[in-house]
Amino acid sequence: MSASISSLIKHPLVFRGRDHRHSADGSELRLPFGQTNLDKACAGGVPASGVLSIRALAGQGELQLLNNVLLQKAGTQKRIIWLPNRLQLNPNWMCQTPYQQQSWVVNTPNEADALWACEQAIRSQACCCIVIYLAQVEPKAARRLQVLARQYDCLVVLVHPGNRSPGALPVNIDMALSFDMRQWFVDLHRVTGAWPQQHIAIEHPLPASNDAIVNAFRQFSSNDVTAIHEVS
Amino acid sequence: MHWLYLHFPRLQLDLFEQLHPEQTGPTVVIDGTDNTVCQLSAAALTAGIKPGMGLAEITAIHAQTCIIEYAANSENCQLEQLATTLYAIASDIVCVASNGIAINLSPLELYYQGLDNFMALCKRSLTVRQVHFHYGSGATIEIARVLARSHFDRVESEPSLALNHLKNCSLQATELPSKEKEQLNRIGIRTLGQLIALPLDEIGKRFNNQIITYLLAIKGVKQPPYSLFHPRKVFSQYLELPYAVESAPRLSRYIAIVLANNCAYLQKRNLATDTLQFELQQREHDNLMFKVNAGTPHHHLSEWQMLIDLKLEQLKLDSPVTSLTLTCDQLVEFDPENLSLLQSSYSRHAENMLLGKLLARLGSDSVKTVEQVNEHRQDYVVQQACALHKAPACSEANGLQPVWLMVQPQPLTEQTQIVYGPERVHTGWWDDHPVKRDYFLALTGKGQRLWVYRDDQQHWYVHGYFG
């Protein structure tokens, strides 16, 4: 019974009375990722308030993907709360971002406290965005955050490995990052206002690479006059 | 002079009844020096218990009687709080013993245009505090005190009229020592009128100077000097708990009493505070002290109560708590934020309240801003993450930086592909923590971007992740 209702709810033309965040022309305000395929699949981008769930392993570049979204949210000048899990946020990285001055890092001893801190931050209405890292997410907790975030006009980015949360979470967007032979894909398990989709190809460049050096060596090593080193 | 004396016969019991309204059975307060009843509730009176009864008698009359030990400290603090409340409506106040307040009515009669107005205000202030009291008035504090202890409950317009009523008061209502009262009873003197009628020199032959001084005050001839009460410049209140409390969250209802007094104290003076200090006296261990900080100075009871409840949830007691003290000495003038009507709903107050909640529950080191650290050794970048303050804007980029750092680098155990690097960090030789590492950006099979390094022993470690 719940499976059939959930597929009905996912229909993009079904209007839910609680969804009241709309722009002037009546459509809901969405923040684009800056990637054409992904924005199209998400009906324009991430809803400005609510929960965005990203299933990603550490180091898969989830924040790089969300950079455009965070920048738009940071424009409100409200606080951005970071709730890391086991790792420490690098201050020197944060200082390179435009939202360094409005960011607070909150360290919690356990995930229950992290969820509590997230909830308090939403309710305070002093925060525009909360980025929280968890090892696992219960659908009930995700739903609670979703309801609060919609009510208080806050964006919650929930990052977790995803291996302990089968099925789509009851949030605005539930997506997973995957890497397959040099190409990155996004699987959309749930999207408000659009159908779920799998295998959406995205551009996810490395933060840095030696390609320039490698190309230079290749270009100049072929000529005996300009060759300095051999490239293997 | 015209003095009003307010006698509070059961301060400790009044406080107990406020804290435990569900307690409807007989309740008595026992004086620990002789184990006799000194205060008793209405239910105890109905059950047949009388002042002066011993423990055995009480339990024989009513086995379920709730017994509390008398604590003079606690009553003194309550009296001080009452005096502070009355200070708002009267100026010349004297605290007498642990259960009486004397007020000089002479200047108030003109100020309030009649003593009736003042008495109505006084009674209302005390009724709000939920304390039982009796009162009387006279030319001296001693006269007023005897009338109050005799339950006179009337203020005469002229002090001299009180002397007529004084004559019928029993000697038990006076401050004469018990031995002297017994002596006088044996010779048939039972009322104050009989005592006053005796010649003073005859009394002086049989009793000491203290009695003579007291009688002179009773006659209105000469009153001993008293110090006037002045409220403290900072707030501090001690509260004796009726029961030893084993669990920290259960202290909330008792803390609420002292907190309400504190907030009333601050509001009346247009002051605010962002720090409250608590000291819990534990039965078998040293006193436990803790602070509760708010993000911004304020004096709102509900917001402070919420922060204190959050703190109590995390607090662990070594042994049951028998009393507590609240001190609030970091006071600033209350300056509320002015919000524009047309501005968005964001306010600094909301931010500060959030900060207070986070600090109360998670600890004072839990919330940090981010500041650029002038250090190439990534280990020290993590350790030097700064405490909460306004973060300055960073001036220059610091090269390629991962989002996440591991506090302790872990050996690299999985297969990776180097895609960038090396970046050599060779520094720290001046402070005995030298570092010589080649950092690389490595890619795992699952697409994870690791910040790895190779040390001078050619060992590989993972130090961070690119988010």
Side-chain angles (χ1 to χ4, degrees):
Chain A
M1 181 69 169
S2 60
S4 57
I5 290 177
S6 66
S7 59
L8 177 65
I9 290 169
K10 283 177 192 172
H11 194 286
L13 294 180
V14 170
F15 173 73
R16 302 188 76 179
R18 282 171 288 176
D19 295 339
H20 58 277
R21 297 286 184 274
H22 295 91
S23 58
D25 62 356
S27 58
E28 185 174 8
L29 185 64
R30 291 192 176 237
L31 309 173
F33 288 95
Q35 303 241 3
T36 311
N37 290 346
L38 189 55
D39 288 335
K40 191 177 169 187
C42 292
V46 180
S49 61
V51 176
L52 163 62
S53 158
I54 301 182
R55 300 165 189 244
L57 298 173
Q60 283 191 322
E62 69 283 354
L63 292 180
Q64 182 182 320
L65 181 65
L66 290 176
N67 189 47
N68 209 38
V69 173
L70 291 176
L71 280 175
Q72 291 171 82
K73 255 324 211 185
T76 62
Q77 297 301 314
K78 288 191 181 184
R79 289 285 171 191
I80 298 178
I81 303 287
W82 300 82
L83 288 156
N85 197 351
R86 297 170 295 108
L87 302 172
Q88 300 279 340
L89 195 67
N90 182 0
N92 288 333
W93 170 82
M94 179 61 81
C95 288
Q96 293 175 356
T97 63
Y99 34 82
Q100 170 247 340
Q101 283 198 289
Q102 65 198 106
S103 291
W104 280 357
V105 179
V106 180
N107 295 308
T108 57
N110 52 60
E111 293 200 345
D113 281 342
L115 283 169
W116 174 85
C118 184
E119 190 174 317
Q120 294 305 313
I122 297 171
R123 287 179 186 276
S124 71
Q125 298 185 70
C127 305
C128 60
C129 183
I130 300 157
V131 183
I132 175 172
Y133 284 75
L134 298 172
Q136 62 177 22
V137 182
E138 296 294 325
K140 203 172 165 185
R143 179 71 188 153
R144 188 182 169 87
L145 290 179
Q146 167 70 16
V147 168
L148 281 175
R150 294 285 286 178
Q151 183 181 350
Y152 291 101
D153 194 21
C154 181
L155 174 65
V156 176
V157 177
L158 183 56
V159 184
H160 56 109
N163 49 352
R164 296 189 220 176
S165 303
L169 292 173
V171 296
N172 276 342
I173 294 181
D174 186 3
M175 60 193 274
L177 272 177
S178 59
F179 180 68
D180 181 21
M181 301 296 288
R182 296 177 180 272
Q183 175 62 49
W184 283 90
F185 297 95
V186 165
D187 297 328
L188 289 174
H189 299 305
R190 180 188 168 89
V191 183
T192 303
W195 288 104
Q197 280 188 48
Q198 307 293 317
H199 244 59
I200 303 168
I202 60 168
E203 291 171 18
H204 203 36
L206 291 166
S209 72
N210 285 337
D211 289 346
I213 301 171
V214 170
N215 290 339
F217 271 110
R218 282 195 188 132
Q219 185 179 351
F220 292 103
S221 64
S222 58
N223 188 332
D224 288 338
V225 175
T226 59
I228 304 173
H229 303 284
E230 279 189 10
V231 176
S232 57
Chain B
M1 296 268 254
H2 193 184
W3 286 90
L4 168 73
Y5 188 87
L6 298 162
H7 172 59
F8 304 97
R10 36 172 279 173
L11 269 180
Q12 195 169 346
L13 201 50
D14 288 334
L15 179 64
F16 177 82
E17 286 175 353
Q18 280 180 49
L19 293 171
H20 299 277
E22 71 281 1
Q23 173 68 22
T24 52
T27 311
V28 299
V29 176
I30 297 286
D31 187 347
T33 53
D34 55 5
N35 285 336
T36 54
V37 174
C38 56
Q39 300 174 23
L40 65 169
S41 65
L45 265 175
T46 311
I49 300 173
K50 292 184 178 120
M53 276 187 175
L55 274 173
E57 273 183 276
I58 298 164
T59 46
I61 293 172
H62 196 284
Q64 308 302 321
T65 304
C66 178
I67 297 173
I68 306 165
E69 192 172 344
Y70 176 72
N73 247 353
S74 180
E75 279 211 339
N76 284 336
C77 284
Q78 282 176 264
L79 196 74
E80 188 181 330
Q81 291 303 315
L82 287 172
T84 306
T85 303
L86 293 172
Y87 198 76
I89 59 173
S91 56
D92 297 350
I93 293 178
V94 174
C95 290
V96 181
S98 64
N99 57 5
I101 290 176
I103 300 176
N104 186 359
L105 292 176
S106 307
L108 300 175
E109 193 170 358
L110 194 60
Y111 184 75
Y112 285 96
Q113 295 175 356
L115 284 177
D116 292 339
N117 297 335
F118 170 74
M119 282 312 300
L121 188 58
C122 183
K123 282 184 204 172
R124 193 178 70 178
S125 301
L126 293 174
T127 306
V128 165
R129 301 286 301 205
Q130 297 176 48
V131 290
H132 289 78
F133 64 96
H134 298 287
Y135 61 95
S137 70
T140 63
I141 292 177
E142 283 70 19
I143 295 173
R145 191 173 183 186
V146 171
L147 289 171
R149 287 167 65 118
S150 304
H151 299 190
F152 188 58
D153 294 338
R154 212 156 64 222
V155 172
E156 298 292 347
S157 54
E158 287 298 323
S160 52
L161 293 175
L163 285 172
N164 294 333
H165 304 292
L166 206 61
K167 288 173 186 168
N168 299 323
C169 291
S170 162
L171 284 183
Q172 300 306 320
T174 65
E175 292 304 306
L176 293 169
S178 313
K179 190 178 156 197
E180 273 73 8
K181 283 183 203 168
E182 220 176 284
Q183 237 176 317
L184 290 165
N185 274 338
R186 267 190 254 122
I187 59 174
I189 296 177
R190 292 185 176 79
T191 66
L192 205 49
Q194 292 171 314
L195 182 61
I196 294 172
L198 294 174
L200 259 180
D201 50 353
E202 293 299 322
I203 296 174
K205 286 177 190 171
R206 288 162 179 79
F207 300 102
N208 58 31
N209 282 343
Q210 195 186 346
I211 309 298
I212 304 297
T213 309
Y214 183 72
L215 284 176
L216 285 174
I218 284 288
K219 287 185 175 182
V221 172
K222 185 182 175 185
Q223 177 174 281
Y226 285 99
S227 308
L228 290 179
F229 169 81
H230 294 287
R232 298 189 200 207
K233 288 192 179 158
V234 297
F235 180 87
S236 179
Q237 186 177 355
Y238 168 86
L239 180 69
E240 185 96 9
L241 305 184
Y243 310 114
V245 175
E246 292 178 350
S247 157
R250 289 175 185 243
L251 290 170
S252 179
R253 68 192 300 185
Y254 303 110
I255 288 178
I257 300 282
V258 292
L259 186 65
N261 290 336
N262 178 48
C263 290
Y265 174 95
L266 294 174
Q267 282 169 3
K268 283 181 182 163
R269 289 156 179 76
N270 200 40
L271 295 172
T273 184
D274 64 353
T275 306
L276 294 180
Q277 296 170 54
F278 288 90
E279 186 175 350
L280 306 178
Q281 284 80 40
Q282 300 183 105
R283 196 159 56 192
E284 286 142 24
H285 288 81
D286 291 339
N287 291 354
L288 177 64
M289 301 180 63
F290 65 93
K291 286 187 185 182
V292 179
N293 295 100
T296 185
H298 67 89
H299 53 220
H300 304 301
L301 177 61
S302 57
E303 290 172 6
W304 273 117
Q305 187 67 58
M306 176 189 54
L307 292 177
I308 290 166
D309 287 343
L310 286 171
K311 186 75 178 182
L312 289 176
E313 280 172 18
Q314 311 299 319
L315 198 64
K316 293 279 181 285
L317 301 178
D318 299 318
S319 58
V321 173
T322 54
S323 59
L324 61 92
T325 307
L326 164 60
T327 306
C328 174
D329 54 6
Q330 295 180 29
L331 307 174
V332 296
E333 203 169 307
F334 182 57
D335 184 18
E337 188 185 353
N338 286 320
L339 297 174
S340 164
L341 185 63
L342 301 177
Q343 209 173 5
S344 67
S345 61
Y346 169 75
S347 79
R348 182 128 341 253
H349 179 74
E351 191 177 291
N352 288 333
M353 291 313 300
L354 171 64
L355 178 60
K357 282 186 209 175
L358 294 174
L359 293 177
R361 170 136 174 182
L362 304 174
S364 53
D365 285 336
S366 58
V367 184
K368 297 185 192 294
T369 50
V370 180
E371 190 175 280
Q372 189 170 20
V373 181
N374 187 16
E375 179 60 69
H376 290 287
R377 290 169 289 183
Q378 301 287 357
D379 316 51
Y380 289 87
V381 166
V382 169
Q383 290 170 22
Q384 290 173 26
C386 66
L388 187 63
H389 65 275
K390 188 167 169 55
C394 297
S395 54
E396 57 184 62
N398 201 8
L400 183 66
Q401 294 284 333
V403 177
W404 304 107
L405 289 174
M406 303 176 84
V407 178
Q408 202 61 35
Q410 299 297 314
L412 179 63
T413 54
E414 57 185 316
Q415 200 169 4
T416 56
Q417 179 196 355
I418 301 291
V419 292
Y420 173 78
E423 278 185 8
R424 173 158 287 192
V425 174
H426 189 186
T427 184
W429 58 85
W430 57 87
D431 59 5
D432 292 332
H433 293 102
V435 157
K436 183 183 174 186
R437 298 172 183 168
D438 291 329
Y439 278 90
F440 300 85
L441 196 166
L443 205 60
T444 67
K446 294 180 183 172
Q448 291 170 279
R449 295 130 183 217
L450 312 181
W451 191 232
V452 303
Y453 71 82
R454 180 184 59 202
D455 63 9
D456 50 2
Q457 274 100 41
Q458 307 301 308
H459 295 145
W460 288 85
Y461 295 89
V462 180
H463 205 167
Y465 294 86
F466 286 83

